[in-house]
């Protein structure tokens, strides 16, 4: 019999109370219901084995918000971290705190001991977290990289494409397996979102009224860890739970104080209309006639584009190249989800020239932990399966959220392209893991070991620009200037994908 304390496992699913966990290949599908505590407890209980790695990967991003420099830096780090984050609890709504408490208790019931404070802080990782020092994003002040694509089939119907990477985490996002949450909160609207273990907010989601909310985290000068406000992802979840119309969704975003900054797209699937909202802790800019069908992790409206932190991101990140390429591909009408998938898998430059695998200015840079397509009109969702070379698995949200039909009848999966390399994603992930080891060794002063780890990455992915750039940096640190010059030149010739690093490379070649 079903127990509310211990789940039973069948061949296809695990059950905990009124919640269940099933798998679509490598995609976890979590169905939860009830009050906030029950939803958090089900998440923690059913996803417990995957919570600890995700929390461990986020930990350096939380710790990095406080320096450990100085004579007593390491000894007092924990105290100063607690002081810096002291207002996070106050900024959350009561249901948020109850959900985190449920998450702690659910995980503990499965033997995974996680602290309330660390899980609470993790909800604000995208808002105020710092990139891991061993990540490629360490110099760029960013954790997440994302794209939102809005493709029209007709004036009243749109397709939504999403790509979200967590490259700034300590493991590059490897622990953030895709989790599709189908939630039926007590007294609220049912909604579905695509996230990862431990995430209680939403970055990609849609509710039963066909209102979709897509969050692209950004950085602006008015973001502070010490602010008393709600993380953007939790605001997005509240919008899905309450908004029945586009105007209601925008009003909720405008009226909610946010801890961080983000570009938020809100789509009404019933008529194909959508708006772009640029939200910071102190400003809200609503574009009801967005200029571009592609949005990224940089703000573009006149009121916010000149913000110092945002301007820095515009100059240092390859975001604009990705957005411009996507906007060009979205000019014509899209016939189906397969057409949107082609754009999400694009690896070419604006002039159609091919980019090397893993190039950070490509739409598909091989780093996404979440690739999804939404048809808000029919409430269909497709999510990329990391175990099936990116095959997009279909989910019938009309049945899941509205209980329409006796059983789910999902659309056909979007298959991988015949010419696609099935080993590409795994090779890039393994190479980037080697690069993180190389940066760890370089920070410790062990240049020989750093060079060895970087060489392993080059073997796995010979043309990966990120590896070629790091090879040059390591050679420069070892005093091997001819090798550094050769690697820097090869990186530039292949298409530099790090604007900040490009300045450093050209300076080295000039010397």
């Amino acid at each position: 019999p079903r127990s509310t304390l211990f789940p039973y496992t069948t061949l296809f699913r695990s059950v905990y109370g009124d919640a269940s966990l099933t798998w679509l290949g490598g995609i976890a599908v979590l169905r939860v219901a009830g009050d906030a505590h029950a939803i958090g407890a089900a998440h923690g209980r059913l996803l417990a084995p995957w919570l600890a790695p995700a929390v461990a990967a986020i930990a350096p991003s939380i710790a990095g918000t406080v320096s450990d420099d100085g004579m007593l830096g390491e000894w007092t780090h924990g105290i100063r971290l607690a002081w810096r984050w002291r207002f996070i609890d106050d900024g959350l709504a009561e249901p948020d705190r109850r959900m985190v408490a449920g998450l702690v208790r659910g995980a503990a019931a499965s033997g995974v001991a996680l602290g309330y404070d660390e899980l609470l802080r993790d909800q604000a990782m995208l808002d105020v977290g710092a990139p891991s020092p061993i990540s490629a994003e360490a110099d760029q002040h960013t954790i997440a990289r994302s794209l939102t694509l809005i493709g029209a089939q007709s004036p009243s119907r749109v397709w939504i494409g999403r790509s979200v990477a967590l490259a700034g985490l300590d493991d590059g996002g490897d622990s953030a397996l895709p989790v599709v949450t189908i939630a039926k909160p007590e007294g609220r609207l049912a909604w579905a979102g695509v996230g990862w273990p431990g995430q209680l907010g939403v970055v990609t989601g849609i509710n039963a009224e066909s209102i979709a909310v897509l969050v692209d985290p950004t950085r602006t000068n008015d973001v502070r860890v010490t602010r008393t406000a709600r993380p953007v992802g939790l605001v997005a979840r509240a919008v899905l739970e309450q908004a029945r119309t586009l105007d209601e969704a925008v009003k909720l975003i405008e009226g909610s104080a946010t801890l961080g900054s983000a570009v938020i797209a809100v789509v009404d699937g019933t008529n194909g209309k959508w708006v772009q909202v640029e939200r910071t802790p102190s400003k809200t800019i609503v574009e009801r006639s967005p200029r571009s069908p592609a949005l990224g992790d940089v703000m573009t409206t006149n009121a916010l584009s000149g913000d110092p932190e945002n301007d820095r991101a515009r100059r240092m990140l390859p975001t604009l190249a990705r957005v411009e390429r996507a906007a060009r591909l979205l000019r014509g009408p899209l016939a189906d989800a397969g057409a949107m998938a082609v754009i999400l898998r694009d690896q070419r430059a604006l002039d159609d020239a091919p980019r090397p695998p893993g190039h950070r200015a490509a739409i598909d840079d091989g780093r996404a932990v979440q690739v999804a397509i939404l048809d808000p009109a029919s409430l269909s969702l497709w999510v990329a399966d990391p175990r099936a070379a990116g095959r997009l698995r279909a989910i019938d949200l009309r049945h899941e959220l509205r209980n329409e039909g006796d059983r789910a009848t999902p659309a056909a999966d979007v298959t991988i392209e015949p010419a696609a390399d099935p080993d590409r994603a795994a090779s890039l992930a393994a190479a980037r893991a080697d690069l993180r080891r190389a940066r760890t060794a370089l920070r410790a002063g062990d240049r020989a070991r750093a060079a060895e780890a970087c060489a392993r990455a080059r073997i796995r992915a010979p043309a990966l620009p990120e590896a070629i750039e790091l090879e040059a940096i390591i050679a420069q640190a070892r005093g091997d200037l001819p090798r550094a010059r050769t690697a820097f030149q090869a990186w530039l010739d292949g298409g530099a994908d790090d604007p900040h690093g490009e300045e450093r490379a050209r300076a080295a070649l000039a010397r």
Side-chain angles (χ1 to χ4, degrees):
R2 181 179 298 183
S3 167
T4 59
L5 296 177
F6 301 98
Y8 63 82
T9 302
T10 67
L11 182 62
F12 301 106
R13 67 176 181 171
S14 298
V15 175
Y16 173 68
D18 293 327
S20 68
L21 173 67
T22 58
W23 291 87
L24 282 176
I27 304 165
V29 181
L30 180 68
R31 294 174 176 85
V32 293
D35 63 16
H37 188 275
I39 289 174
H43 187 128
R45 188 71 165 102
L46 295 173
L47 290 175
W50 299 275
L51 279 176
V55 171
I58 295 173
S61 293
I62 304 302
T65 59
V66 172
S67 171
D68 59 0
D69 294 338
M71 183 179 299
L72 301 177
E74 290 189 24
W75 292 353
T76 63
H77 183 270
I79 298 172
R80 289 181 293 116
L81 187 70
W83 179 253
R84 175 70 62 86
W85 286 76
R86 65 191 183 280
F87 295 124
I88 291 296
D89 189 291
D90 295 337
L92 272 64
E94 180 60 24
D96 300 332
R97 293 190 286 269
R98 286 179 54 79
M99 197 173 290
V100 174
L103 186 64
V104 174
R105 293 188 67 180
S110 281
V112 178
L114 298 170
Y116 175 81
D117 286 344
E118 65 180 331
L119 289 175
L120 192 73
R121 294 168 183 170
D122 286 357
Q123 307 311 312
M125 172 264 293
L126 294 177
D127 297 73
V128 292
S132 166
I134 65 171
S135 72
E137 282 30 63
D139 294 333
Q140 299 174 341
H141 299 187
T142 184
I143 292 176
R145 299 185 64 222
S146 58
L147 283 175
T148 298
L149 312 182
I150 311 291
Q153 183 180 30
S154 67
S156 61
R157 185 172 184 178
V158 296
W159 298 91
I160 302 170
R162 284 286 283 164
S163 174
V164 178
L166 299 176
L169 294 187
D170 206 51
D171 65 352
D174 289 350
S175 60
L177 66 92
V179 176
V180 175
T181 299
I182 297 168
K184 295 182 178 179
E186 190 174 73
R188 301 286 187 174
L189 295 173
W191 58 271
V194 187
W196 49 85
Q199 185 203 23
L200 300 178
V202 173
V203 292
T204 301
I206 189 169
N207 68 16
E209 299 293 326
S210 296
I211 298 296
V213 179
L214 305 316
V215 177
D216 293 306
T218 63
R219 289 298 169 98
T220 54
N221 206 41
D222 55 352
V223 173
R224 301 284 187 278
V225 177
T226 52
R227 188 180 298 274
T228 302
R230 206 174 185 185
V232 178
L234 298 179
V235 172
R237 192 194 75 223
V239 171
L240 293 177
E241 291 179 346
Q242 300 175 49
R244 296 179 181 276
T245 67
L246 196 62
D247 288 339
E248 287 182 6
V250 172
K251 186 176 181 179
L252 282 167
I253 295 171
E254 289 180 312
S256 302
T258 60
L259 182 63
S261 298
V263 179
I264 306 172
V266 185
V267 183
D268 186 344
T270 61
N271 55 28
K273 293 181 179 179
W274 68 286
V275 299
Q276 171 186 339
V277 183
E278 293 189 348
R279 188 71 171 92
T280 81
S282 59
K283 294 180 181 178
T284 306
I285 307 298
V286 180
E287 290 279 320
R288 292 194 175 270
S289 299
R291 290 171 288 179
S292 172
L295 310 176
D297 39 62
V298 171
M299 296 185 171
T300 56
T301 59
N302 294 335
L304 291 169
S305 62
D307 176 271
E309 279 294 317
N310 187 68
D311 181 63
R312 183 178 187 274
R314 286 169 62 92
R315 292 182 287 104
M316 295 185 64
L317 301 177
T319 296
L320 294 184
R322 304 176 79 208
V323 168
E324 289 173 9
R325 173 65 178 171
R328 178 177 176 181
L329 297 175
L330 288 166
R331 286 176 183 170
L334 301 186
D336 53 22
M340 178 61 81
V342 169
I343 298 175
L344 288 169
R345 293 165 175 167
D346 184 79
Q347 300 174 43
R348 292 181 175 270
L350 188 60
D351 61 359
D352 287 329
R355 293 195 185 279
H359 195 284
R360 286 171 283 192
I363 294 174
D364 181 3
D365 60 2
R367 300 202 289 180
V369 298
Q370 173 192 131
V371 176
I373 298 173
L374 268 168
D375 177 9
S378 69
L379 282 178
S380 294
L381 170 67
W382 291 262
V383 181
D385 184 348
R387 296 183 184 174
R391 180 189 185 101
L392 289 147
R393 307 286 188 181
I395 299 173
D396 178 11
L397 297 182
R398 189 177 293 273
H399 173 76
E400 298 284 359
L401 302 181
R402 296 180 180 174
N403 295 320
E404 294 185 4
D406 294 334
R407 59 185 178 84
T409 55
D413 289 353
V414 178
T415 58
I416 61 174
E417 299 174 6
D421 179 3
D423 299 323
R424 172 179 172 271
S427 297
L428 290 176
R432 285 174 170 138
D434 285 328
L435 295 181
R436 291 192 292 274
R437 296 185 189 98
R439 294 188 193 96
T440 301
L442 190 61
R443 282 172 53 82
D446 193 339
R447 297 166 182 169
R449 183 161 293 180
E452 181 180 336
C454 188
R456 290 197 184 99
R458 292 295 310 277
I459 293 171
R460 294 182 188 274
L464 180 62
E466 191 179 330
I468 299 172
E469 180 189 18
L470 186 57
E471 179 184 353
I473 293 170
I474 294 172
Q476 195 175 40
R478 300 182 76 186
D480 190 348
L481 299 187
R483 187 181 185 88
R485 288 177 60 86
T486 299
F488 273 134
Q489 191 63 60
W491 181 57
L492 293 173
D493 291 343
D497 60 349
D498 174 8
H500 177 64
E502 186 174 356
E503 296 177 8
R504 174 178 53 207
R506 295 195 184 281
L509 291 173
R511 290 194 297 272

